[in-house]
Amino acid sequence: MKKILMALLCAILCLTLLACSEKSGENGSDNSDDTASDSHIITEDLPDRNITAIYGMFDEQYDFIYEDICLVPGTFTQKNPIYSMLEEHNSAYNGASSESLSSRTPAIFYLANELSLTEVDLNEYYTACLEMGITDIMPTSEAMKAIAGGDASAAMAACAHPSALAKDGKVYTLRMLLEGEAEGISDDLIAATVERAKQYYGASLLKSDLLTDTMKEKLSALGFEVVKENVGSLCTVHADEYHTIPSALEALVDAAELKSWKEQSADGGTDCTISANIAKFVQDFAIAKETFIELYNAENGTLGHYNIDVIYDGDAASYYSEKHSEYNAAVEADRAIAKLKQKVAEDKGMTDFVTNVHEFSLAELLIMIDKDNAYIAELGEYMNSLIALPEIDINAIYDNKDELMRMIGKRSVYYIDCQVSGRSTFETAYDAHRMIK
């Protein structure tokens, strides 16, 4: 998953770079004969800088200005293959390894080292960026000296984002620190980094829905109060799934009784004025747990975020007062696979036979049709548009056709879809999702 995230982050960075390139091309002019004086690096009178992110609140490693390198006429960027150099630089680090990623030097230092840039080169570039409105802050002279000095550790410390920690030639993001991926870092240093991040981001940091359970636990252990964000659009207390009844369940009860039930007076509890909720529904209409599980599995986990064990045997109101990003991610992954299967069925004229894609695995659908490299390429583009889709190698499905054929019929559709998407294999979505806490 981290590998996918890193690829996505790199793509976002490239788009940002291209946007800056277009902006500079429209507004820039060739001023290569001008040399900026030290007066340009005085920042006291500059307006407060807008917080600009590349990687997101918990994944920023270096300050934006040291990562977002734009083509600016009259500077070192004008006649160099900057973007291909940066792509090569980023690809040298393993995005799935915090050990590797924390060692990544900032983009500006890599370019300074590769192109033998001086402080004058850097000053000219950043001054031009400031004057063109590409950035609204200048690096200090000390920072530019560190970047041009060739000492990676010094440059990393000088360029580190306010929410990151620079230590011993590495720069750790908040996510690395809070998820325990940064070894040998004391709690005092992590707490100090969180404090800096709070100063930078404000109150939104500790109520972000991007916080994982592990990060929340670490923050609480460090003495920070994690503020729970309003979790749903239907109700500020509960996630939307708590107040949403799947149509497959509604179909099991009398329509008139259902209408009357929904019109009951509100009794949702403190600050919750919506009476209808999934736990009350299954209780009031005596929906057996086995029935819910059967319907959930029939939809291969795409029904929604319904933790059936909690709904029947736990405190559903409390459970749904929190956002559960891992559970939602699992549901969205199952939905993305279903969309991919639906496309194959429609593209290949199989909808008369494949009336329900949940009854067929992706491997089964593909094996039904001859391997077509042009169509595989088309599927690849479509798969890239499905953000939640796990990594699936279509060619590998054809390469392992015999093994998959032996599996089909012996294993469930859900199991085979898990197999080809590289996920932990479970026979049913209920079995898979109940493992998510």
Side-chain angles (χ1 to χ4, degrees), residues 166-201:
K167 185 178 187 298
D168 299 333
K170 295 181 181 293
V171 176
Y172 302 97
T173 66
L174 265 183
R175 186 180 302 278
M176 295 176 193
L177 296 172
L178 295 176
E179 291 194 339
E181 298 172 357
E183 297 182 0
I185 305 299
S186 69
D187 281 352
D188 287 344
L189 283 176
I190 297 175
T193 307
V194 174
E195 286 291 354
R196 289 200 308 274
K198 282 177 60 181
Q199 292 294 319
Y200 189 77
Y201 288 112

Side-chain angles (χ1 to χ4, degrees), residues 331-388:
V331 172
E332 290 304 316
D334 291 332
R335 287 175 174 171
I337 292 174
K339 289 179 181 178
L340 179 59
K341 291 193 287 187
Q342 187 65 42
K343 175 177 172 58
V344 173
E346 292 175 354
D347 288 347
K348 297 302 179 180
M350 303 163 67
T351 51
D352 288 342
F353 174 63
V354 183
T355 57
N356 183 355
V357 294
H358 298 310
E359 296 177 354
F360 295 83
S361 67
L362 177 63
E364 192 172 357
L365 294 178
L366 290 171
I367 290 172
M368 289 181 189
I369 60 178
D370 292 332
K371 183 177 181 180
D372 180 343
N373 290 332
Y375 184 60
I376 291 175
E378 179 185 332
L379 280 183
E381 293 182 8
Y382 180 71
M383 290 163 65
N384 289 336
S385 72
L386 299 174
I387 302 301

Side-chain angles (χ1 to χ4, degrees), residues 11 56 69 135 173 185 220 268 309 320-321 323 378 436:
I69 312 301
T135 180
T173 66
I185 305 299
S220 296
D309 290 345
Y320 281 105
S321 69
K323 289 189 176 180
E378 179 185 332
I436 303 171

Side-chain angles (χ1 to χ4, degrees), residues 17-238:
L17 296 174
L18 289 173
C20 289
S21 174
E22 292 172 0
K23 185 173 183 179
S24 64
E26 292 172 1
N27 302 327
S29 61
D30 190 343
N31 57 359
S32 56
D33 294 331
D34 297 333
T35 301
S37 67
D38 272 352
S39 62
H40 285 98
I41 62 175
I42 298 175
T43 61
E44 285 80 355
D45 296 329
L46 293 176
D48 291 337
R49 182 184 177 212
N50 293 326
I51 296 176
T52 310
I54 292 182
Y55 300 133
M57 188 179 290
F58 300 102
D59 297 289
E60 300 290 1
Q61 189 174 12
Y62 297 110
D63 194 278
F64 180 81
I65 57 174
Y66 302 120
E67 292 280 81
D68 183 47
I69 312 301
C70 302
L71 294 180
V72 180
T75 71
F76 72 88
T77 66
Q78 187 170 15
K79 295 181 180 179
N80 290 294
I82 300 300
Y83 299 154
S84 60
M85 292 177 69
L86 291 177
E87 184 176 352
E88 181 179 349
H89 171 55
N90 286 328
S91 66
Y93 297 90
N94 180 3
S97 166
S98 295
E99 178 67 21
S100 175
L101 197 57
S102 62
S103 301
R104 184 180 70 90
T105 55
I108 189 63
F109 175 77
Y110 169 75
L111 294 175
N113 194 51
E114 291 293 307
L115 302 174
S116 300
L117 302 180
T118 65
E119 289 180 62
V120 172
D121 294 324
L122 294 171
N123 204 6
E124 287 179 349
Y125 167 71
Y126 281 111
T127 299
C129 287
L130 183 67
E131 292 174 347
M132 294 169 61
I134 293 173
T135 180
D136 53 10
I137 194 171
M138 280 286 291
T140 64
S141 57
E142 290 78 10
M144 287 192 279
K145 185 183 295 295
I147 294 167
D151 184 334
S153 181
M156 293 167 81
C159 298
H161 193 275
S163 67
L165 171 66
K167 185 178 187 298
D168 299 333
K170 295 181 181 293
V171 176
Y172 302 97
T173 66
L174 265 183
R175 186 180 302 278
M176 295 176 193
L177 296 172
L178 295 176
E179 291 194 339
E181 298 172 357
E183 297 182 0
I185 305 299
S186 69
D187 281 352
D188 287 344
L189 283 176
I190 297 175
T193 307
V194 174
E195 286 291 354
R196 289 200 308 274
K198 282 177 60 181
Q199 292 294 319
Y200 189 77
Y201 288 112
S204 62
L205 180 76
L206 296 182
K207 67 176 184 179
S208 171
D209 60 1
L210 297 175
L211 285 169
T212 64
D213 289 341
T214 301
M215 294 164 73
K216 290 178 182 178
E217 289 175 6
K218 184 63 177 180
L219 285 167
S220 296
L222 292 172
F224 294 96
E225 182 179 353
V226 180
V227 181
K228 183 170 60 183
E229 189 179 28
N230 291 340
V231 293
S233 58
L234 300 176
C235 160
T236 60
V237 178
H238 303 112

